[in-house]
Amino acid sequence: MLKICFKKARRCIVLVIWTLVIITIATTLFLNEHLSRRKSLVERDAPFDLEITSQESKTSGGGGDIREEDLWFSKEKVENALPDLFLEPVTKQVERVTARLMIRRKDVDMNEGEEDIVFTKSSGNIGMAVNTHRVRTYEKKSSDEILTEYIGNSEKICEVELSNLLGNVSVDSTRKIFLEEAVLETGKNLINGCFVPKCRAYQKIAIVIPYKNRYEHLLMLTRHLHPILQRQNVMYCIFVAEQFDNGSFNKAQIMNAAFHEITTNHQIYGHPSEPEGERRQFECFVFHDVDMLLENDKNLYLCENNPKHMSPAIDKFNYTTNYGTIYGGVTAMTAETYKLVNGHSNRFWGWGGEDNDMEKRIELAGKKIVQVDEKVGRYKMIVHEHPWWFSPDTGAGSWKQKLKRNHNKLLTLLSVPKKKSTIKKNADNDEPSTKDYQDKTGLSDMKYRLVYSSQHLLWTKLMIDIRLHIFEQSLTHFTNYKTTDVSVKTPQELDTSPPTVEQDDEATPVETSDSCVPSYHRFEHMTVNRTRPDADERYKAVYKSLEGAQEVCTSMRMACQSIVEEKAEFTIRSTAFVHENKLRYKLGIIEQVHISEDHNTTATYVKICPHNINYVQFTLDPIIIPTGVKRDSSRRVSSPRFYTNFTIRSLQPSSSSFVYRTRIMTSHRAAMEAKVSSKVIPGIWWDSLGKLQFSRFNLLNFSNQERLKNHRIGKDYRKKVLSGQLYELQSPATSIEPYPGCYVIKHSVINEENDEPVYEWITWLQLRAETRELEDDLLKRAKL
C-alpha cells in the first residue's frame, strides 16, 4: 500500500516539475520576443547614441573639455526623460561617472571614417541644428543620385506591416516632454518634419496643426505621433500653421491658408529625398488639434473617398461618440474634397463652431462623413485652459459669445453674420436647413500673407498673417489736463523674421516681440488684489528681497505685471490694477452690505513697459481736479477729456468697418473682472465702486472710398518693410466723470462684421483733488 502511494506521489511531483519547466520555457520565449521587438523599435527610431563620458573627455573635434552647462542633456533630464534608451538603470550609470553628457550623432548616411558630430548648446536650437545637418547631407548628393535612389525606392508599393503596429499604446497626457527627448525618439530619416518610406506610398499626407502659443503641447504631440506614423509606413509631413497676430484666434481661416499654401507651393515643402521639380502633390490632409494624443496606432492616418472623422472617442468626454460634433478634433479629407466643399468658413473667430459648419458643407457637397471605429479612434486630450483669444467663455466670436449676443440657439454656430441671418429654420424643428445655407466664405475668398516658413526636425512651420488691416499705433492725449500722452504699438510688427538655429523655437511672435526690459515704478501705500486661483503656485511664493521678486517677475513676462510689498516681504501679481489700501463700498442691490478692504501693503511696484500693448500703460502723475467742481451741469467743463489718434495700415482691399470702444472703470472693478476671467469668482455682482462709463464711435469704413482719401498718408517710412496703404485718423473726445480714485480704461477697436477685437490695450490713471477734504466731499456728492 505504501509503495502504491509512493509511486503516485512521485508521479505527481514529476508532473508538477515538468509543468513548471514548460511554463518557464514559454515565459522566457515570450519575454525574449517582446524585448527583442522593443529593442529593434528603439534602435530603429533613435537617431542618436547617448554617451556618458568623464570630465577628461574631449569633443570629436578636439575642442577641449565639454562643460556640463554647455550640453543639451542634464543628469535630471536623462534620468527622468530617457530611461528606455539605456540597457541598465540610468542612475547607476550616472553614479559610475563624473557626469559629463553629450549627444553624438551616428547617421547611416555619413561617409565612412567621418567623425561623429557633437551637438552641444553652442550648436543652438537642437531641433533646427540636427535638421540643418541632415539637409546638408542631402545637398552633398547630386540630383542624379537622389533621383536614382527615389526611383529605386518607388518600385515597391508601401504596405502597412501589421507586425509593426502595437494596437493600444501607452499615453501620458500630463508628462512634460523636453525638446531633446522628442528629437531623440522621432527617427533617423526625419527631415523638415517629413518622412518618406523606402517604397511607393499610396498617398502623400499633410498633417496640419493649427497652432497658437501651445509649445509644450506641440512637443508632446510630435514626439508621440512621429514614431506611430513611421510604424504605419506612410509618407507624410507635419505642418504647424501658426496665426501671426495676437488677436482672436481663427482656427478655420488658418487651416484654409495652410491648405492653400501647401498645395500651391508643394514643390517647396517636403523631404529632400524627393527630387527637386518631381515632388508629389499632397493628396490627403489631416487637420489635427494640438492637444489630441492617439491611443491606438491601428487608426491609420490615410484619407478615404469620404471625409473621415478619426477622433470619435475622447477621454475628456468619457469616450462617448456624441460630444457636440461628428467632425472635429482629428479629421482626414482628400485635397480634392477640401476644394469641393470650399474649405472651412472664414467667419469663426474665437473658439468653436467651425466643425459644425463643416458638417453642413460636406453634406451640401454630396459627401458623407465616415467615422473610425470607436475602439480604434480613441484619443487622450491634454488638459489645458484656453487662452483668452479663443476661450469658449470669453473669446470673441466663440459660439458661447454668439449665443449670448444673438439669442438664436444654435443658429449662430452655422456662420450667421452679425447683422442678418443667412440660414432659415426647418418648419418642423429648430435645426437650420442645409438647403438655405448661404455662407460663401472659404478657400474662394481666402486672403493671407505668409510671414515666413521655417524648417525644424519635428515640423515645418508656416507663420500666417490673416489680418486685412494692422492697427500699428495709437496715441491717447488728454486735452484739458497736463499729463503724459500714452502711446502703444502693435508688437507683431517688431520682428517678422523666421527663427534661426540660435533661437529657442519655443518663442512665439508674442514672445519674440515682447522685448521689454522693464523698469518698476513704486506706488506708496497702494495695492493690487490677487486675481489668480489659489492652485496657481506662481503667485503664492514669498520673496525676501525686491531684487529677487523683480527677477522672477521679469522672467515671467506678461504673466507678471506687478509686485506687492508687505512687511518687508514681496509677492507677485498677474495684473497691475493698482488701487488704495483702504476701500469702502456697498455690495448687493436689494440687501446692501457694507464692505471694507484694509490692506497693509507698504508699496506696489508696477512693471513699466512703454508702448508695449501687452502691458498696462500708466500715466504716473495724477490728474488733479481743480477746486470748485460740483455735481451740476457745469461739471463737464472740468471733466478730463481725451481723444486717440490711430495709424492704420491696410494690407488687403476690404469693406471692413471698425468702431472704437472704451470702458472706463475703477481699478476695483477691473480686478473683479479679472477674478471672473480666472474663475476665482462665478460672476460680477453689483457694488458701489463698480461704476462703468462707456463710449462707442464709428472709426473707419474701408468701403467709403471718399472718406479714406481724407485719411491717407502720403509718405510711408516703413514701405520697404511692410506693404499696404497707411491711414491716420482721430477719434472724438471721451470724458471721464471727475471723481477721485484709480481708474482703468480698456480700449478696443472692433470689426463690426464679426465683433472681433482687432486691437486692444489698457491704460491706468489717478484722479485726485487738491486736498483730502475735497476728495471726501466729491465722493459724498457722487453718493458712493
Side-chain angles (χ1 to χ4, degrees):
M1 187 69 181
L2 289 174
K3 288 182 178 180
I4 295 173
C5 291
F6 178 75
K7 287 182 179 180
K8 288 183 178 181
R10 187 172 60 180
R11 288 175 184 174
C12 290
I13 292 171
V14 171
L15 181 62
V16 169
I17 291 173
W18 276 108
T19 302
L20 291 173
V21 169
I22 293 171
I23 292 173
T24 303
I25 294 173
T27 303
T28 303
L29 291 174
F30 174 78
L31 290 175
N32 285 340
E33 176 66 21
H34 177 75
L35 292 174
S36 175
R37 182 180 174 188
R38 181 178 179 85
K39 184 178 178 182
S40 66
L41 287 174
V42 170
E43 289 175 348
R44 185 192 66 186
D45 291 341
F48 296 107
D49 288 338
L50 282 184
E51 183 176 334
I52 304 180
T53 65
S54 66
Q55 186 173 0
E56 291 74 29
S57 294
K58 308 292 183 180
T59 64
S60 60
D65 289 345
I66 299 177
R67 298 180 303 168
E68 186 174 357
E69 59 266 25
D70 289 337
L71 297 171
W72 269 98
F73 277 90
S74 67
K75 296 181 199 176
E76 181 182 2
K77 287 184 180 179
V78 172
E79 292 175 9
N80 295 337
L82 300 169
D84 292 341
L85 294 184
F86 292 87
L87 299 179
E88 60 180 300
V90 180
T91 51
K92 292 183 179 179
Q93 291 200 30
V94 173
E95 287 171 359
R96 287 195 287 104
V97 296
T98 55
R100 286 295 184 266
L101 307 171
M102 74 175 102
I103 303 174
R104 291 185 179 274
R105 181 176 185 277
K106 295 180 179 179
D107 264 337
V108 295
D109 55 12
M110 296 180 69
N111 296 326
E112 186 176 351
E114 186 178 351
E115 291 185 340
D116 296 339
I117 305 299
V118 178
F119 290 105
T120 67
K121 285 188 176 178
S122 62
S123 305
N125 182 304
I126 190 69
M128 301 185 76
V130 174
N131 194 68
T132 300
H133 177 76
R134 292 185 181 180
V135 170
R136 287 174 180 170
T137 301
Y138 271 93
E139 289 175 348
K140 294 176 183 178
K141 298 181 179 181
S142 68
S143 57
D144 289 340
E145 285 181 279
I146 294 175
L147 181 60
T148 301
E149 183 179 329
Y150 181 74
I151 293 173
N153 290 335
S154 300
E155 291 177 356
K156 178 185 175 183
I157 301 298
C158 291
E159 295 181 357
V160 178
E161 297 181 13
L162 296 178
S163 60
N164 284 339
L165 301 181
L166 306 176
N168 293 330
V169 295
S170 176
V171 178
D172 187 347
S173 59
T174 60
R175 185 172 75 89
K176 181 178 179 180
I177 300 296
F178 296 105
L179 172 62
E180 304 93 314
E181 179 183 358
V183 167
L184 279 166
E185 298 195 14
T186 49
K188 290 184 178 182
N189 299 318
L190 194 68
I191 300 179
N192 301 335
C194 302
F195 174 78
V196 178
K198 296 186 181 301
C199 51
R200 176 71 178 177
Y202 170 63
Q203 292 176 338
K204 185 177 179 182
I205 304 155
I207 299 171
V208 178
I209 304 172
Y211 172 84
K212 187 67 178 176
N213 296 352
R214 305 271 289 281
Y215 179 71
E216 286 187 7
H217 299 172
L218 182 61
L219 281 184
M220 292 172 70
L221 174 61
T222 51
R223 179 253 176 267
H224 180 72
L225 194 55
H226 278 298
I228 290 175
L229 294 173
Q230 290 169 32
R231 291 202 296 270
Q232 292 182 357
N233 212 27
V234 295
M235 181 181 185
Y236 71 90
C237 287
I238 290 183
F239 293 92
V240 176
E242 181 166 5
Q243 183 170 319
F244 179 58
D245 67 284
N246 197 29
S248 296
F249 190 55
N250 192 322
K251 174 184 170 183
Q253 200 166 344
I254 290 297
M255 290 190 288
N256 283 345
F259 177 88
H260 183 273
E261 178 65 27
I262 294 166
T263 53
T264 304
N265 300 301
H266 69 278
Q267 293 291 349
I268 298 175
Y269 304 115
H271 196 285
S273 65
E274 285 191 278
E276 289 187 11
E278 301 292 332
R279 289 184 177 175
R280 287 172 63 179
Q281 180 62 270
F282 288 91
E283 297 105 341
C284 173
F285 278 77
V286 175
F287 295 100
H288 205 301
D289 285 356
V290 73
D291 54 4
M292 302 285 282
L293 301 178
L294 179 65
E295 293 187 57
N296 191 312
D297 63 1
K298 292 182 179 179
N299 188 359
L300 300 181
Y301 276 56
L302 292 169
C303 287
E304 300 182 12
N305 291 332
N306 282 306
K308 181 167 67 170
H309 188 207
M310 300 182 64
S311 58
I314 303 175
D315 66 331
K316 180 179 178 179
F317 307 108
N318 297 318
Y319 298 106
T320 57
T321 57
N322 185 8
Y323 53 84
T325 179
I326 58 171
Y327 198 76
V330 183
T331 61
M333 187 184 295
T334 64
E336 182 182 359
T337 302
Y338 198 75
K339 292 176 182 177
L340 180 66
V341 301
N342 196 24
H344 285 83
S345 168
N346 294 324
R347 297 187 176 189
F348 287 94
W349 297 89
W351 184 91
E354 69 281 342
D355 298 330
N356 303 82
D357 184 87
M358 177 55 82
E359 295 171 20
K360 295 297 179 185
R361 291 178 173 234
I362 292 171
E363 185 180 346
L364 280 171
K367 295 285 186 176
K368 291 184 179 180
I369 296 171
V370 296
Q371 178 180 290
V372 174
D373 185 275
E374 60 190 80
K375 294 179 181 179
V376 176
R378 293 167 64 93
Y379 286 78
K380 280 191 177 179
M381 183 179 286
I382 302 172
V383 179
H384 66 281
E385 289 186 6
H386 294 287
W388 68 266
W389 52 83
F390 63 104
S391 164
D393 294 305
T394 60
S398 74
W399 62 272
K400 283 191 177 182
Q401 290 296 311
K402 289 181 179 180
L403 288 178
K404 290 177 183 177
R405 286 195 301 268
N406 296 285
H407 304 288
N408 276 337
K409 297 184 180 179
L410 294 178
L411 276 178
T412 51
L413 292 179
L414 301 172
S415 305
V416 182
K418 182 175 74 77
K419 294 182 179 179
K420 184 179 179 181
S421 172
T422 59
I423 305 175
K424 299 178 181 178
K425 290 182 181 179
N426 288 324
D428 299 332
N429 53 52
D430 289 338
E431 288 296 319
S433 170
T434 305
K435 179 181 178 181
D436 297 306
Y437 182 88
Q438 297 177 18
D439 184 1
K440 302 300 182 183
T441 67
L443 290 174
S444 58
D445 63 345
M446 178 68 230
K447 295 178 181 178
Y448 72 96
R449 176 174 67 107
L450 183 68
V451 181
Y452 63 78
S453 63
S454 62
Q455 283 68 44
H456 189 283
L457 184 69
L458 305 177
W459 56 72
T460 291
K461 177 176 283 189
L462 304 176
M463 187 62 72
I464 296 169
D465 191 357
I466 57 175
R467 296 171 298 177
L468 300 179
H469 313 91
I470 300 174
F471 284 76
E472 290 191 355
Q473 184 174 350
S474 65
L475 187 144
T476 302
H477 173 74
F478 281 85
T479 61
N480 55 344
Y481 286 91
K482 204 168 187 180
T483 187
T484 308
D485 292 343
V486 177
S487 172
V488 295
K489 299 177 181 178
T490 300
Q492 282 76 22
E493 300 317 310
L494 300 178
D495 186 8
T496 58
S497 57
T500 63
V501 174
E502 290 75 22
Q503 290 177 333
D504 181 1
D505 62 353
E506 182 173 1
T508 65
V510 178
E511 291 170 329
T512 55
S513 64
D514 184 10
S515 56
C516 171
V517 180
S519 60
Y520 289 86
H521 181 81
R522 177 185 172 100
F523 286 103
E524 292 278 355
H525 305 298
M526 302 186 80
T527 193
V528 174
N529 279 356
R530 294 183 183 272
T531 57
R532 298 297 300 173
D534 292 337
D536 199 329
E537 297 291 338
R538 297 175 299 174
Y539 303 99
K540 294 170 69 174
V542 176
Y543 303 91
K544 298 300 181 181
S545 69
L546 177 61
E547 291 75 18
Q550 286 180 345
E551 183 179 353
V552 172
C553 188
T554 300
S555 67
M556 289 176 65
R557 297 183 177 177
M558 291 176 283
C560 176
Q561 302 263 351
S562 61
I563 301 169
V564 170
E565 178 186 357
E566 185 175 342
K567 298 179 181 178
E569 293 182 338
F570 302 87
T571 53
I572 61 177
R573 300 287 190 269
S574 61
T575 64
F577 303 142
V578 183
H579 61 77
E580 298 84 350
N581 263 345
K582 297 183 184 296
L583 291 178
R584 306 286 184 268
Y585 56 94
K586 297 174 185 177
L587 187 65
I589 299 177
I590 300 175
E591 295 182 5
Q592 291 190 343
V593 179
H594 290 270
I595 303 294
S596 297
E597 288 188 23
D598 292 313
H599 301 270
N600 297 316
T601 303
T602 306
T604 290
Y605 303 84
V606 296
K607 188 183 283 187
I608 303 295
C609 293
H611 315 303
N612 194 319
I613 200 171
N614 298 312
Y615 296 89
V616 176
Q617 300 298 306
F618 289 86
T619 54
L620 298 177
D621 297 325
I623 294 175
I624 305 299
I625 304 170
T627 306
V629 175
K630 298 181 180 179
R631 280 182 60 86
D632 56 26
S633 60
S634 64
R635 77 184 192 280
R636 286 284 180 192
V637 176
S638 297
S639 294
R641 294 194 305 274
F642 65 89
Y643 62 80
T644 303
N645 284 326
F646 293 94
T647 303
I648 308 169
R649 184 179 298 277
S650 176
L651 299 175
Q652 308 262 9
S654 78
S655 57
S656 300
S657 179
F658 297 95
V659 297
Y660 171 47
R661 187 176 69 193
T662 62
R663 297 175 69 236
I664 304 167
M665 65 191 75
T666 61
S667 291
H668 164 79
R669 167 78 184 200
M672 297 284 275
E673 290 190 357
K675 288 182 180 181
V676 173
S677 179
S678 300
K679 299 183 180 178
V680 174
I681 58 176
I684 298 178
W685 48 81
W686 181 91
D687 68 83
S688 56
L689 289 181
K691 190 172 184 180
L692 290 169
Q693 302 173 53
F694 298 92
S695 69
R696 184 181 185 278
F697 305 107
N698 292 325
L699 196 60
L700 192 61
N701 187 338
F702 278 88
S703 63
N704 189 336
Q705 295 298 321
E706 290 300 319
R707 189 183 174 196
L708 282 178
K709 292 178 182 178
N710 299 330
H711 299 289
R712 187 174 296 168
I713 296 177
K715 280 193 174 182
D716 182 359
Y717 297 100
R718 303 188 67 197
K719 190 74 174 179
K720 293 181 180 179
V721 181
L722 290 171
S723 59
Q725 179 60 50
L726 210 57
Y727 300 91
E728 265 188 3
L729 65 155
Q730 178 179 305
S731 73
T734 300
S735 297
I736 303 176
E737 295 284 355
Y739 303 128
C742 300
Y743 291 88
V744 167
I745 307 175
K746 295 188 176 182
H747 309 256
S748 302
V749 177
I750 308 294
N751 187 332
E752 278 198 293
E753 182 181 6
N754 48 35
D755 277 352
E756 176 213 353
V758 296
Y759 189 57
E760 294 183 302
W761 74 101
I762 296 174
T763 56
W764 179 95
L765 71 154
Q766 289 187 77
L767 297 183
R768 296 295 170 202
E770 294 173 339
T771 65
R772 182 64 187 178
E773 290 75 18
L774 286 171
E775 283 192 14
D776 292 339
D777 181 60
L778 284 169
L779 292 174
K780 286 179 183 178
R781 291 174 181 273
K783 297 181 180 180
L784 296 177

